[in-house]
Amino acid sequence: MRSKLIPGAAAAAVAALVLTGCSTSSDDTGAGGLSIDVPDVPTHEELGDYEGSVDIVAWSGFVEPAWSDAFTDETGCVVNRRVAGTSDEMVQLMRSGDFDLVSASGDASLRLIAGGDVAPLNLELIPNFGDDIVEGMKGQIYDTINGKSYGVPIGRGANILQYNSEVVAEEPTSWDIAWEADSPYAGQIIAYDAPIYIADAAVYLMAHEPDLGITNPYALDETQLAAAIDLLKQQNGIVSEYWADPAAQITSFIGGNTVAGTSWEVLRKLTEDEKFKSVLPEEGSTGWSDAWMLSAEADNPNCAYAWMDYTSSPEVNGAIAMNFGMAPANAAFCDLNDEAAAHCDYYNATDEEYFEKVWFWTTPIEQCIDGRTDIQCTNFQQWTDAWLTVKG
């Protein structure tokens, strides 16, 4: 779903990310978000009459009749859905001006903010964005800029290490079996196919090559990026295949072509075989966090705000999370019933200690988001170009 970029569209997708602006300190990477220069897009001040429809670009499973029909009955706003298969496609569709909302992941959100394609939100118009939204999804660096929120959290997940326990008999504690050339499972490792996967290499290097000085896997200078690419090229020698399509990843595990590699919690669950297990290794991992974002040129902003509020309720947010397979943003869902509680437990929904080990996708930009001001970091275009060299 969050599959690889279309190379021919890369230049347009990253054009807005050669940024200059205010420096950021490490304190800016938490609740305060990031401080950079971005286009001045006005915030919707108050709700008006519903326009009668809302046009949404979303991941598959995020906008379904089970809840969109009820929303239409309640508001009169007809929901028009366009399913997107990649973050790059979402960026392009939002820049067309034809859509009011998008369910953006962190590898798309900063592109949209920097391009002036989405508007800062008036959270007072979204009552369900309240105390029950998990703290780890509020005010994050990928969707909170200059103290303004651009995203309403939907759900999150970690990119975990999945393995076939009949082959990998002892539970792994490290990513080393997926990265080191002497892995006993060489030739049976699966890896994610996208430029943002460079950050996974950076996470591993943070733990195993601390002299590189990497403190944020999305803030890499040229030397650090080169080290990550070297590690990825090394991994290429033990990889059986790369995946972008979740169905292909599942098929690879079930068919025995793969015994270990990067996965999402839901993919392990969908294999429906107890021999497939997963773990968040000691080095930590990357992850993804999705949020509703409002077009700067929305034709239906009132229906869009109504949708963001409606889908932030415990019941609907939980339904989306269960349908897609992720941790919900609204923690109150976890207390609704036993099924909800079991879902939240499986996806570590309210376990902030778990998610403290997860570096959520954030678009790399030239301003170093780790707080460094004396050096320029590599941007998304450079990552895209570098990724093309990995597989040869």
Side-chain angles (χ1 to χ4, degrees):
M1 295 170 192
R2 296 155 173 79
S3 56
K4 65 182 179 181
L5 286 171
I6 303 168
V14 302
L17 290 175
V18 182
L19 301 178
T20 59
C22 308
S23 64
T24 179
S25 69
S26 57
D27 292 337
D28 291 324
T29 61
L34 183 66
S35 295
I36 57 175
D37 287 342
V38 296
D40 185 16
V41 178
T43 302
H44 203 62
E45 294 297 332
E46 59 183 4
L47 290 178
D49 294 336
Y50 294 142
E51 299 88 356
S53 65
V54 60
D55 301 307
I56 305 175
V57 178
W59 297 118
S60 177
F62 277 39
V63 181
E64 299 299 320
W67 45 88
S68 62
D69 287 351
F71 171 76
T72 300
D73 291 342
E74 181 179 312
T75 63
C77 301
V78 175
V79 179
N80 301 311
R81 179 192 65 171
R82 169 71 179 266
V83 173
T86 69
S87 288
D88 194 54
E89 183 183 0
M90 286 187 170
V91 171
Q92 293 180 64
L93 289 171
M94 286 301 287
R95 288 178 174 166
S96 73
D98 295 333
F99 298 91
D100 303 301
L101 285 171
V102 61
S103 62
S105 296
D107 59 335
S109 54
L110 194 53
R111 283 186 270 173
L112 292 168
I113 296 169
D117 303 299
V118 292
L121 299 174
N122 184 344
L123 298 180
E124 292 183 0
L125 303 181
I126 309 172
N128 281 319
F129 187 104
D131 294 339
D132 290 327
I133 301 297
V134 294
E135 287 302 316
M137 294 187 71
K138 292 180 179 179
Q140 295 301 304
I141 194 170
Y142 44 80
D143 63 11
T144 303
I145 305 299
N146 304 329
K148 297 179 180 179
S149 176
Y150 286 78
V152 173
I154 307 169
R156 59 182 173 173
N159 296 322
I160 42 81
L161 175 60
Q162 181 173 317
Y163 62 99
N164 183 333
S165 64
E166 291 184 353
V167 180
V168 185
E170 188 173 337
E171 180 180 84
T173 59
S174 170
W175 280 104
D176 57 2
I177 65 169
W179 287 102
E180 297 297 341
D182 61 355
S183 169
Y185 312 107
Q188 297 176 288
I189 301 299
I190 197 166
Y192 193 54
D193 193 356
I196 203 68
Y197 186 59
I198 292 170
D200 292 68
V203 168
Y204 190 74
L205 290 172
M206 287 169 67
H208 295 274
E209 295 190 30
D211 289 347
L212 285 168
I214 300 173
T215 59
N216 184 310
Y218 305 102
L220 305 181
D221 59 36
E222 291 186 0
T223 299
Q224 293 164 342
L225 176 61
I229 294 301
D230 286 344
L231 179 60
L232 286 158
K233 289 178 178 178
Q234 173 180 290
Q235 187 194 46
N236 178 253
I238 65 171
V239 166
S240 57
E241 61 185 281
Y242 291 86
W243 70 277
D245 180 358
Q249 192 264 12
I250 293 171
T251 299
S252 185
F253 269 98
I254 293 176
N257 193 43
T258 292
V259 300
T262 302
S263 184
W264 302 332
E265 291 100 329
V266 66
L267 299 187
R268 194 263 287 181
K269 192 172 187 178
L270 289 173
T271 55
E272 297 181 344
D273 191 322
E274 291 185 359
K275 70 183 179 184
F276 297 112
K277 301 184 183 302
S278 62
V279 63
L280 180 63
E282 59 193 9
E283 297 93 349
S285 76
T286 60
W288 44 268
S289 180
D290 296 332
W292 298 116
M293 305 188 84
L294 176 70
S295 170
E297 299 179 355
D299 292 328
N300 307 293
N302 297 299
C303 281
Y305 265 93
W307 174 264
M308 288 188 285
D309 187 52
Y310 171 77
T311 54
S312 295
S313 68
E315 296 81 4
V316 182
N317 179 248
I320 296 172
M322 291 189 71
N323 191 52
F324 184 79
M326 61 182 173
N330 194 322
F333 165 72
C334 303
D335 298 324
L336 292 182
N337 51 52
D338 290 344
E339 183 181 21
H343 177 89
C344 289
D345 182 63
Y346 183 87
Y347 291 98
N348 302 285
T350 59
D351 186 351
E352 292 303 331
E353 184 176 350
Y354 176 88
F355 282 109
E356 282 177 3
K357 304 174 186 175
V358 178
W359 295 89
F360 293 108
W361 285 347
T362 304
T363 310
I365 60 176
E366 289 187 357
Q367 179 188 321
C368 294
I369 60 175
D370 59 3
R372 286 179 291 174
T373 59
D374 59 343
I375 196 169
Q376 190 174 78
C377 279
T378 52
N379 62 35
F380 194 67
Q381 181 65 65
Q382 290 169 284
W383 282 39
T384 301
D385 294 341
W387 175 249
L388 295 176
T389 72
V390 169
K391 295 184 290 181

